[in-house]
């Protein structure tokens, strides 16, 4: 049984509107989501002793989300991740986007989907948010209608994304929650054991744009197909952290498959042509099935997070740019590596990389993807 309650979270400056908070609660989880950026502000999970702790980074007050901050808990778009130099060409026309991350456009631009007020609708087991992104917003073509739905079922939080456009436009939506399974305010994530079911990853240049290569994880720091303890793993490979897209594998085997969902037949390129050094993969049309992509275990509390998705990629980010300048809930100071993100999404800069999975939404089509965050105790 899930309860849904609604309350005022705060008022935007200059009479720009009221931000509401929606609390979804089951026997196993409690999730708080606000209408500003469809943002998850709190997520309480029980440990092996039955004690609940908040496992996401964020702020107790609206003012925290209105300051410059790294997308804590928000839905980002119109295109998540980076687009090289903030430009792309579509049907012979060049589009210039807002530049907000070095030379690139990141997470939708200066005023992306995380910095707008969404219209909520309460459901029996969740909440749906909607908005219309006008033609030309942050440089993107077409009017885009968007729906983001959060529903709760026991220990599983599902996030569904839908969009429709009246012009061809790139779309790539994700949630940018920062997790720390030890409990919000814990100093780092080094004692988390991480598994990512990916046989390949995307190397990046100095501005974190994919080079275009698709590289096997075998023998690299990116091989987390078997559990690794994060702190020891970073030390062993002498790396600063992760901020990379992992290419989720298709397989004819049925293990790890959580459930089937409707796919798209708009693109039938054989993915094995992109992964020439890897075993044969399914076509991109078959990538849009939900499977377990990641499992994170915190031994101290016993908490486990499993992530399932219908997307072809996940950006694993270890909070490398957190620098201690932000103070969050209960006075917690957010320093480097104090949280991790598993941003399920299309591959970064796909609009400029024709051999990446397709990112364009055309009139008459519907963009739809789902991600499941499943919490348990081990």
């Amino acid at each position: 049984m899930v309860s849904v309650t609604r309350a005022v979270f705060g008022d935007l400056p200059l009479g720009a509107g009221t931000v509401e908070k929606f609390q979804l609660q089951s026997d196993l989880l409690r999730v708080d989501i606000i209408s500003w950026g469809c943002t998850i502000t709190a997520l309480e999970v029980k440990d092996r002793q039955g004690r609940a702790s908040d496992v996401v980074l964020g702020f107790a007050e609206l003012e925290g989300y209105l300051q410059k901050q790294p997308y804590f808990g928000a839905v980002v778009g119109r295109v998540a991740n980076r687009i090289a130099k903030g430009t792309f060409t579509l049907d012979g026309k060049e589009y210039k986007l807002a530049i907000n991350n070095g030379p690139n456009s990141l997470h939708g631009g200066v005023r992306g989907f995380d910095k707008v007020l969404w219209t909520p609708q309460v459901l029996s087991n969740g909440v749906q948010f909607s908005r219309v992104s006008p033609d030309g917003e942050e440089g993107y073509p077409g009017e885009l209608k968007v729906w983001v739905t959060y529903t709760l079922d026991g220990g599983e939080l599902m996030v569904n994304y839908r969009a429709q456009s009246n012009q061809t436009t790139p779309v790539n939506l994700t949630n940018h929650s920062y997790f720390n399974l030890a409990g919000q305010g814990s100093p780092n994530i080094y004692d988390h054991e991480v598994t990512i079911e990916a046989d390949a990853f995307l190397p990046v240049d100095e501005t974190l744009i994919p080079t275009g290569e698709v590289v096997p994880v075998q023998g690299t720091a990116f091989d987390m197909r078997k559990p690794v303890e994060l702190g020891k793993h970073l030390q062993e490979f002498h790396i600063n952290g992760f901020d990379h897209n992992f290419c989720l594998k298709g397989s004819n085997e049925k293990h790890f498959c959580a459930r089937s969902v409707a796919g798209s037949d708009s693109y039938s390129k054989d993915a094995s042509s992109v992964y020439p050094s890897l075993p044969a993969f399914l076509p991109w049309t078959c990538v849009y099935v939900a499977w377990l992509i990641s499992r994170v275990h915190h031994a101290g509390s016993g908490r486990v997070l499993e992530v399932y998705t219908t997307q072809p990629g996940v950006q694993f980010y270890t909070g490398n740019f957190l620098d201690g300048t932000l103070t969050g809930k209960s006075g917690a100071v957010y320093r480097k590596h104090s949280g991790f993100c598993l941003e399920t999404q299309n591959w970064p800069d796909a609009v400029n990389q024709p051999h990446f999975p397709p990112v364009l939404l055309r009139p008459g089509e519907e963009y739809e993807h789902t991600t499941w965050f499943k919490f348990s105790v081990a």
Side-chain angles (χ1 to χ4, degrees), residues 221 230-242:
L230 193 55
K232 292 179 181 178
H233 191 73
L234 295 178
Q235 284 186 333
E236 179 184 351
F237 286 93
H238 306 287
I239 55 177
N240 179 56
F242 293 96

Side-chain angles (χ1 to χ4, degrees), residues 44-376:
E44 288 196 355
V45 185
K46 295 177 182 178
D47 64 10
R48 65 166 62 89
Q49 274 79 42
R51 297 171 300 199
S53 291
D54 187 357
V55 298
V56 294
L57 279 56
F59 306 100
E61 308 291 338
L62 176 60
E63 289 72 21
Y65 293 99
L66 301 181
Q67 67 182 319
K68 184 178 181 181
Q69 51 91 13
Y71 309 95
F72 285 140
V75 165
V76 292
R78 177 175 306 193
V79 174
N81 216 305
R82 294 170 178 85
I83 293 180
K85 297 181 173 54
T87 63
F88 64 90
T89 300
L90 180 58
D91 296 331
K93 180 179 178 181
E94 184 181 57
Y95 291 88
K96 295 184 179 296
L97 309 174
I99 303 298
N100 64 329
N101 184 249
N104 306 315
S105 184
L106 173 68
H107 292 331
V110 175
R111 189 172 183 265
F113 287 5
D114 60 298
K115 298 180 183 68
V116 295
L117 189 62
W118 293 64
T119 300
Q121 179 184 348
V122 173
L123 308 176
S124 62
N125 62 340
V127 58
Q128 180 179 86
F129 299 99
S130 62
R131 75 175 298 255
V132 176
S133 173
D135 181 21
E137 185 173 55
E138 297 298 295
Y140 287 98
E143 179 185 272
L144 187 75
K145 297 178 180 178
V146 191
W147 299 265
V148 177
T149 305
Y150 293 91
T151 53
L152 188 58
D153 180 10
E156 187 173 79
L157 176 66
M158 183 181 80
V159 191
N160 176 262
Y161 308 89
R162 292 174 51 229
Q164 299 170 354
S165 180
N166 63 359
Q167 294 182 45
T168 301
T169 187
V171 181
N172 183 24
L173 306 177
T174 193
N175 179 275
H176 207 295
S177 287
Y178 290 69
F179 297 97
N180 188 319
L181 298 185
Q184 198 280 144
S186 298
N188 58 61
I189 50 174
Y190 298 143
D191 57 353
H192 286 52
E193 189 180 73
V194 180
T195 310
I196 298 179
E197 285 290 329
D199 286 342
F201 74 102
L202 301 182
V204 295
D205 66 17
E206 64 278 2
T207 69
L208 299 177
I209 292 291
T211 63
E213 299 173 280
V214 182
V215 175
V217 299
Q218 181 73 38
T220 74
F222 299 88
D223 191 350
M224 289 181 276
R225 292 172 294 181
K226 293 182 179 179
V228 301
E229 188 174 320
L230 193 55
K232 292 179 181 178
H233 191 73
L234 295 178
Q235 284 186 333
E236 179 184 351
F237 286 93
H238 306 287
I239 55 177
N240 179 56
F242 293 96
D243 192 3
H244 296 78
N245 180 83
F246 286 74
C247 308
L248 303 180
K249 61 183 182 180
S251 171
N252 289 311
E253 299 178 17
K254 294 297 184 183
H255 68 288
F256 292 137
C257 188
R259 53 178 67 86
S260 295
V261 295
S264 165
D265 59 2
S266 60
Y267 190 73
S268 58
K269 181 180 178 69
D270 186 344
S272 64
S273 65
V274 181
Y275 298 88
S277 60
L278 299 175
F281 277 66
L282 297 176
W284 293 129
T285 53
C286 298
V287 166
Y288 300 111
V289 218
W291 65 87
L292 174 63
I293 60 155
S294 180
R295 183 180 190 270
V296 183
H297 176 223
H298 180 252
S301 66
R303 293 187 183 96
V304 175
L305 168 60
E306 293 177 335
V307 181
Y308 300 76
T309 190
T310 60
Q311 287 278 43
V314 61
Q315 187 86 1
F316 180 47
Y317 174 52
T318 49
N320 312 328
F321 296 111
L322 298 176
D323 59 6
T325 58
L326 290 174
T327 300
K329 292 172 282 188
S330 303
V333 177
Y334 297 138
R335 296 185 172 87
K336 181 179 177 179
H337 298 161
S338 57
F340 68 89
C341 304
L342 288 164
E343 304 159 59
T344 56
Q345 58 185 356
N346 203 335
W347 297 4
D349 199 35
V351 71
N352 291 314
Q353 310 257 13
H355 59 292
F356 283 8
V359 72
L360 296 179
L361 175 66
R362 294 176 171 82
E365 298 178 346
E366 182 169 273
Y367 172 98
E368 182 173 9
H369 285 290
T370 304
T371 295
W372 294 261
F373 298 99
K374 183 178 181 180
F375 295 89
S376 59

Side-chain angles (χ1 to χ4, degrees), residues 35-46:
S35 53
W36 181 256
C38 303
T39 300
I40 296 173
T41 62
L43 199 163
E44 288 196 355
V45 185
K46 295 177 182 178

